[in-house]
């Protein structure tokens, strides 16, 4: 896990669950990125569960989450 992802995950996990949802939604991520992050960080689903729910591969879940975390990181640091 890179530093960007770790920092954003720590920031999300410091918030109460309802604030996590609104925090993640406030960055204008794509629906796919948002769903992948919400299902993992708020709902506690595994990547396998997420890929089954969204009907995509686990690699796609990882890519979407990473892309979403990068967008959040850039929004917070620029």
């Amino acid at each position: 896990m890179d530093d960007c992802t770790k920092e954003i995950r720590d920031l999300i996990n410091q918030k109460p669950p309802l604030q996590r949802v609104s925090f993640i939604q406030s960055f204008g991520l794509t629906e796919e990125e948002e769903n992948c992050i919400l299902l993992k960080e708020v709902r506690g689903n595994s990547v396998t569960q997420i890929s089954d729910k969204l009907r995509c591969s686990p690699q796609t879940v990882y890519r979407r989450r990473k892309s979403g975390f990068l967008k959040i990181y850039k929004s917070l640091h620029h």
Side-chain angles (χ1 to χ4, degrees):
M1 179 180 340
D2 59 27
D3 292 339
C4 159
T5 301
K6 184 172 179 1
E7 179 182 331
I8 301 305
R9 286 189 71 200
D10 289 344
L11 185 63
I12 291 170
N13 289 322
Q14 289 172 0
K15 299 183 179 307
L18 289 178
Q19 287 182 3
R20 291 178 193 176
V21 173
S22 59
F23 176 76
I24 293 166
Q25 291 174 336
S26 71
F27 290 97
L29 304 175
T30 66
E31 184 178 348
E32 294 84 8
E33 292 167 339
E34 191 175 288
N35 284 334
C36 288
I37 293 173
L38 287 172
L39 287 170
K40 178 75 170 143
E41 303 305 322
V42 179
R43 305 277 187 249
N45 289 290
S46 70
V47 171
T48 304
Q49 290 171 318
I50 297 168
S51 68
D52 289 344
K53 285 180 184 180
L54 301 179
R55 296 189 175 128
C56 61
S57 71
Q59 292 80 14
T60 300
V61 173
Y62 285 119
R63 273 196 321 271
R64 288 177 179 166
R65 288 181 72 238
K66 184 174 177 97
S67 172
F69 285 139
L70 186 59
K71 287 179 183 179
I72 292 171
Y73 183 84
K74 286 180 178 181
S75 293
L76 293 174
H77 292 284
H78 291 332

